[in-house]
Amino acid sequence: QVQLVDSGGGLVQAGGSLRLSCAASGRTFGGSAWFRQAPGKEREFVATMNWSGSITYYPDSVKGRFTISRDNTKNTVYLQMNSLKPEDTAVYVCAARRPGSGSDRTGDYDYWGQGTQVTVSS
């Protein structure tokens, strides 16, 4: 089992930055990702990476603004978010999977964090 704890959310003005953290405990895991969900909307893929961090993938909506990274010595996954926009407002959730590559599909993940709220004001 892997337990994930998300943190780092908050209220920020448009154009600002936040760094989310996802602290993992338990067994090691493979690919990881961040998803987000705004009120009344479906869960949306935000970023993914493989175990080593050598391969990352982002949707066009966040490409160039968000960066996913991982510190395996701390067993923590990060999401650096820059140039935030009001449409980035959502609950952000970290996900991890048993050994395997990164993925943009929710069904590929075995473990989920509890989520952290990000609110971007205009």
Side-chain angles (χ1 to χ4, degrees):
Q1 275 293 79
V2 175
Q3 291 78 43
L4 304 177
V5 178
D6 302 329
S7 63
L11 174 63
V12 64
Q13 289 189 331
S17 298
L18 281 175
R19 189 177 81 156
L20 306 184
S21 298
C22 173
S25 60
R27 61 190 302 169
T28 58
F29 56 94
S32 57
W34 288 92
F35 293 83
R36 67 186 180 187
Q37 189 163 17
K41 295 188 177 181
E42 293 188 353
R43 185 163 288 187
E44 177 188 13
F45 163 69
V46 174
T48 188
M49 63 188 295
N50 63 344
W51 180 86
S52 67
S54 61
I55 300 173
T56 60
Y57 175 67
Y58 307 90
D60 288 343
S61 57
V62 307
K63 193 176 297 181
R65 300 189 298 121
F66 291 10
T67 303
I68 188 172
S69 62
R70 177 170 178 167
D71 185 341
N72 286 327
T73 65
K74 296 181 179 180
N75 227 17
T76 300
V77 177
Y78 303 99
L79 183 68
Q80 178 67 44
M81 306 186 295
N82 300 327
S83 302
L84 283 162
K85 305 175 181 180
E87 52 263 43
D88 294 320
T89 295
V91 174
Y92 285 70
V93 184
C94 174
R97 61 187 307 194
R98 297 187 185 99
S101 60
S103 171
D104 60 356
R105 298 179 299 185
T106 58
D108 285 342
Y109 290 92
D110 305 294
Y111 312 107
W112 293 85
Q114 84 286 2
T116 184
Q117 175 70 47
V118 171
T119 304
V120 184
S121 63
S122 57

